[in-house]
Amino acid sequence: QSKSISDLIQLIKDIPMDGKQGYDVLGFIYEYLIEKFAANAGKKAGEFYTPHEVSLLMSEIVANHLKDREKIEIFDPTSGSGSLLINIGKSASKYIEGDNKVKYYAQELKQNTYNLTRMNLVMRGIEADNIVTRNGDTLEDDWPYLEENGGRKPLPVDVVVSNPPYSAHWTSGSYKTDPRFVKYGLAPDTKADYAFLLHCLYHLKNDGVMAIVLPHGVLFRGGSEEEIRKKLIENHNIETIIGFPSQMFFSTPISVIVAVLSKERKESDILFVDASQSFVKVKKQNVLRQMDIQKIFDAVQDRKSIPDFSRLVTKEEIKKNDYNLNISRYISAKK
């Protein structure tokens, strides 16, 4: 291992990094190596890595919401390697004049993974004052917060982005009075997916935007999850749901979704995008191509209906379907 690392350092040393390349060379190398490591780590990769193509798509969607900001604050409560957070910042920075106008908040449970986040942020040339990281349990210990008059109040941010552990176990009964969940309800003990979603929504500014990766089951499962889903729909929080093919994430073979939400929204319709057929197979993984990313982004940006691909659905139709958000109920994709 020591020889491999030494050889790698010598190889990287010979790569030009004098600022004339037009992109973050070291950051690109770091993410490339993280991706290769994730590909060989199997399910453990879910602890720290979001596929670059999905990360890029989420970044462009979120950045499009933030064009009018002079500076922004971004929070990832399950930051992993920090790559998703950094990609969001990079995309948003395209619309902001000047440097170092993005502040990064990152929390991660596992110490080794948390160190990846810190290292990734520091090596990107971000000012130290714009990096705020914490090693902690997001559901157990709410963060970030502001100290005020001897107490704490939640820190609202412009963007929250997350790829949390899927269907994690948690002790929901301990959070009955937690302000993050009282308005919508508690996720079941065996599936904390909605707990992570509500935590993200809680830390969002009224005019902010969030994007979260979740297992497909959150769209249709019953019980307490159905009650939370109903309240999110009735409160107009859900803007967009994008369904991806299976075998896209190293951590799981199941299909996942990206949900885009906001806190205060007048419109009640939801855009559904079925991207389950938009991929190319690379070894065992299904990968989005640039043309797939662009097609999804265009549909989301324009909120337009495309036969067998995307559809804008009214709240009334969703209510008739008993608040079931399963994409196949609204789009019949060609197989």
Side-chain angles (χ1 to χ4, degrees):
Q1 288 181 342
S2 297
K3 184 179 184 306
S4 295
I5 292 172
S6 176
D7 290 345
L8 186 60
I9 290 171
Q10 292 302 317
L11 181 65
I12 292 172
K13 181 174 68 71
D14 293 333
I15 297 173
M17 298 186 202
D18 54 10
K20 298 178 181 178
Q21 288 72 37
Y23 67 99
D24 179 7
V25 179
L26 190 57
F28 180 87
I29 293 168
Y30 182 87
E31 185 158 349
Y32 174 83
L33 293 173
I34 285 285
E35 180 180 12
K36 296 307 173 188
F37 177 56
N40 290 291
K43 290 186 177 181
K44 284 192 173 183
E47 298 173 4
F48 59 83
Y49 188 72
T50 303
H52 179 72
E53 296 78 17
V54 178
S55 176
L56 179 61
L57 174 63
M58 293 171 71
S59 301
E60 292 301 317
I61 290 171
V62 166
N64 191 55
H65 278 256
L66 305 168
K67 288 181 178 179
D68 59 338
R69 314 287 165 108
E70 293 182 3
K71 59 181 181 178
I72 62 169
E73 294 179 312
I74 307 173
F75 171 44
D76 187 341
T78 56
S79 60
S81 68
S83 294
L84 179 56
L85 192 65
I86 288 166
N87 283 331
I88 298 283
K90 190 185 299 181
S91 293
S93 293
K94 293 186 297 187
Y95 303 106
I96 301 174
E97 289 188 16
D99 299 326
N100 286 296
K101 297 293 184 69
V102 179
K103 190 162 187 174
Y104 300 84
Y105 292 87
Q107 176 156 284
E108 171 56 43
L109 173 62
K110 299 195 174 182
Q111 178 72 50
N112 289 341
T113 313
Y114 166 68
N115 289 334
L116 286 178
T117 286
R118 289 200 300 170
M119 183 164 58
N120 205 357
L121 285 165
V122 168
M123 65 190 284
R124 300 306 179 106
I126 302 166
E127 286 184 354
D129 288 346
N130 283 345
I131 300 174
V132 187
T133 63
R134 189 168 185 265
N135 182 204
D137 188 319
T138 284
L139 297 183
E140 187 177 300
D141 192 5
D142 184 22
W143 183 85
Y145 51 77
L146 297 168
E147 301 278 1
E148 195 173 85
N149 299 324
R152 295 177 178 178
K153 72 175 197 175
L155 174 71
V157 296
D158 300 281
V159 185
V160 186
V161 61
S162 180
N163 179 15
Y166 308 140
S167 301
H169 287 226
W170 76 312
T171 312
S172 62
S174 304
Y175 301 91
K176 289 180 179 178
T177 60
D178 193 304
R180 293 175 291 175
F181 312 120
V182 289
K183 183 177 178 181
Y184 294 91
L186 293 169
D189 286 354
T190 55
K191 294 178 178 66
D193 304 307
Y194 273 111
F196 284 108
L197 183 151
L198 293 175
H199 172 84
C200 294
L201 191 63
Y202 179 71
H203 280 278
L204 204 58
K205 288 181 180 177
N206 290 340
D207 61 350
V209 63
M210 63 169 276
I212 185 169
V213 184
L214 294 167
H216 200 266
V218 299
L219 301 179
F220 53 81
R221 292 192 298 240
S224 57
E225 290 188 300
E226 182 179 2
E227 293 305 311
I228 295 171
R229 192 165 60 244
K230 282 182 182 179
K231 290 174 183 175
L232 289 167
I233 293 167
E234 288 295 343
N235 203 40
H236 308 168
N237 293 126
I238 304 173
E239 292 189 14
T240 303
I241 294 170
I242 306 167
F244 292 101
S246 59
Q247 297 289 355
M248 268 198 65
F249 285 67
F250 296 116
S251 56
T252 178
I254 66 171
S255 57
V256 301
I257 65 153
V258 165
V260 181
L261 298 92
S262 57
K263 209 159 193 174
E264 292 189 1
R265 180 171 169 256
K266 293 178 181 178
E267 298 82 4
S268 61
D269 50 23
I270 298 175
L271 179 73
F272 290 84
V273 179
D274 183 359
S276 62
Q277 306 303 307
S278 302
F279 65 89
V280 62
K281 201 159 194 69
V282 179
K283 296 182 180 179
K284 293 181 180 179
Q285 297 301 124
N286 293 328
V287 178
L288 292 177
R289 298 160 292 188
Q290 183 58 45
M291 60 182 283
D292 300 320
I293 296 171
Q294 191 64 50
K295 184 178 180 181
I296 297 167
F297 174 76
D298 288 345
V300 173
Q301 182 183 33
D302 299 335
R303 298 191 70 75
K304 62 184 179 183
S305 295
I306 301 171
D308 305 317
F309 184 72
S310 64
R311 185 171 168 236
L312 200 58
V313 180
T314 65
K315 185 171 76 172
E316 289 67 32
E317 182 177 348
I318 292 168
K319 287 171 72 173
K320 287 178 183 177
N321 276 297
D322 298 319
Y323 297 92
N324 188 316
L325 296 177
N326 200 348
I327 296 170
S328 62
R329 290 206 172 202
Y330 306 101
I331 301 174
S332 298
K334 291 180 180 178
K335 304 301 181 187

